[in-house]
Amino acid sequence: MTVNHKTITIRNKSFEWGKRTYLMGVLNVTPDSFSDGGDFNTIESALMQAENMVKNGVDIIDIGGQSTRPGAAEISLQAELDRVLPVVQILREKATIFADIPISVDTTRSMVAKAAVAAGADIINDISGATFDSAMLSTVAKLKVPIILMHLRGTPQTMQTLTDYHDLIGEISEFLEARIAAAVAAGIHTSQIIIDPGIGFAKTHSQNLEILRDLRKFRYLDCPILVGVSRKSFIGKILNQPEAKQRVWGTAAACTGAIANSADILRVHDVREMHDVCQVADAIFRNQS
């Protein structure tokens, strides 16, 4: 495979894109996320889960206070701040454990992004591609932190009714290309932009599989590619497994496919298991023994 070695340092941690697969661990501090809602929505449980992820080899911890599962209700700005900020703060207070672990915050609100970075976050992960909040790109530019721009149609309430594409990969590519251009125009350096094709967001079962098969086609955008397949419903459909937490093996297979097709970052719930997947898949597909 073609390897594009670009290096970026985030909180003393070096990311050399193309050399190996990096793991972003999901830490949802919500009562209603699709697979772990209510599991980590206290400070104590969130801290314990974050510590477990670090012990198991996580590279980034992604904290989310607003569920983005299909049909999820939008919460208030204050409610999101109240969920996210205390967790960011407690992780930063535990400097000996989390000193070199970048924290990402999964939000579409510029006010949350600003407050989270002030509290110690390092990356903004915006599922809307920074389209929901017109101030997001200028805010991130001023904060001088990386941003993850994901493809989405509609909102979590409407997205699964908006899956009619004439050219799936082409239309996702056009959206991401436009969002990259908007980010650069707002003052964000290209080295600070990560893209996500948005598996499970305004996509059908077959479209999710098509994205995984054709993931390499997004390489022309010259940004690191993040893929989030963990425990998602398309895996449940293949396995006839309605329980999200029982989709670990299916997630492992999907992650291996993503690595084979040049994903740079995998956003996962099961860090220990997917860390092993990355080591083996990297040895096969990236010649990392």
Side-chain angles (χ1 to χ4, degrees):
M1 65 186 294
T2 301
V3 177
N4 184 13
H5 291 295
K6 289 186 175 180
T7 303
I8 184 172
T9 300
I10 308 173
R11 189 164 289 272
N12 302 319
K13 188 176 184 69
S14 180
F15 293 81
E16 191 172 358
W17 307 121
K19 187 172 184 180
R20 74 172 179 90
T21 307
Y22 295 91
L23 282 179
M24 171 183 277
V26 179
L27 185 59
N28 286 322
V29 290
T30 58
D32 57 342
S33 291
F34 82 96
S35 79
D36 57 359
D39 288 355
F40 311 116
N41 60 341
T42 67
I43 293 291
E44 296 76 17
S45 60
L47 178 59
M48 184 177 297
Q49 176 67 355
E51 289 175 348
N52 287 336
M53 289 195 288
V54 171
K55 290 175 185 176
N56 287 311
V58 82
D59 296 295
I60 302 166
I61 295 174
D62 188 47
I63 300 171
Q66 164 71 65
S67 174
T68 54
R69 63 177 172 77
E74 184 176 357
I75 62 172
S76 70
L77 169 63
Q78 191 58 52
E80 188 177 356
L81 290 167
D82 289 345
R83 289 177 182 179
V84 170
L85 295 186
V87 179
V88 175
Q89 290 163 351
I90 193 68
L91 297 192
R92 284 292 164 245
E93 288 171 10
K94 302 287 185 178
T96 55
I97 302 172
F98 302 103
D100 297 326
I101 300 294
I103 294 174
S104 168
V105 170
D106 183 353
T107 186
T108 60
R109 289 168 163 151
S110 60
M111 292 295 290
V112 174
K114 184 176 181 179
V117 171
D122 308 281
I123 303 168
I124 300 304
N125 181 11
D126 190 330
I127 65 156
S128 77
T131 61
F132 287 2
D133 185 335
S134 61
M136 180 62 89
L137 291 178
S138 60
T139 298
V140 171
K142 290 174 185 174
L143 295 171
K144 299 186 184 304
V145 297
I147 186 167
I148 300 165
L149 300 172
M150 194 190 84
H151 173 268
L152 174 67
R153 281 178 164 182
T155 68
Q157 294 79 29
T158 64
M159 62 186 180
Q160 291 313 111
T161 66
L162 301 171
T163 59
D164 184 19
Y165 298 84
H166 296 292
D167 174 9
L168 176 69
I169 302 302
E171 289 175 52
I172 295 172
S173 297
E174 288 174 7
F175 174 92
L176 292 173
E177 188 169 3
R179 299 317 299 157
I180 292 167
V184 171
I188 300 172
H189 194 272
T190 53
S191 66
Q192 300 280 79
I193 300 171
I194 298 165
I195 57 171
D196 179 347
I199 287 178
F201 291 82
K203 316 293 190 304
T204 65
H205 165 79
S206 61
Q207 288 167 348
N208 291 322
L209 298 177
E210 183 179 346
I211 291 169
L212 285 172
R213 293 188 195 106
D214 290 342
L215 194 64
R216 199 178 301 273
K217 291 183 178 179
F218 299 109
R219 273 285 153 223
Y220 85 95
L221 294 168
D222 203 28
C223 292
I225 300 172
L226 182 149
V227 174
V229 295
S230 186
R231 302 181 180 178
K232 287 190 173 176
S233 60
F234 79 97
I235 296 172
K237 183 173 181 178
I238 294 169
L239 301 177
N240 191 28
Q241 176 52 263
E243 175 52 54
K245 291 180 182 178
Q246 299 303 314
R247 300 171 186 164
V248 178
W249 291 110
T251 295
C255 285
T256 300
I259 293 169
N261 288 311
S262 79
D264 295 290
I265 309 170
L266 299 176
R267 186 176 182 273
V268 302
H269 299 84
D270 305 290
V271 171
R272 179 176 61 82
E273 293 86 348
M274 298 314 132
H275 185 265
D276 287 356
V277 167
C278 288
Q279 286 187 300
V280 176
D282 281 349
I284 298 168
F285 300 111
R286 302 190 200 271
N287 298 317
Q288 297 295 314
S289 58

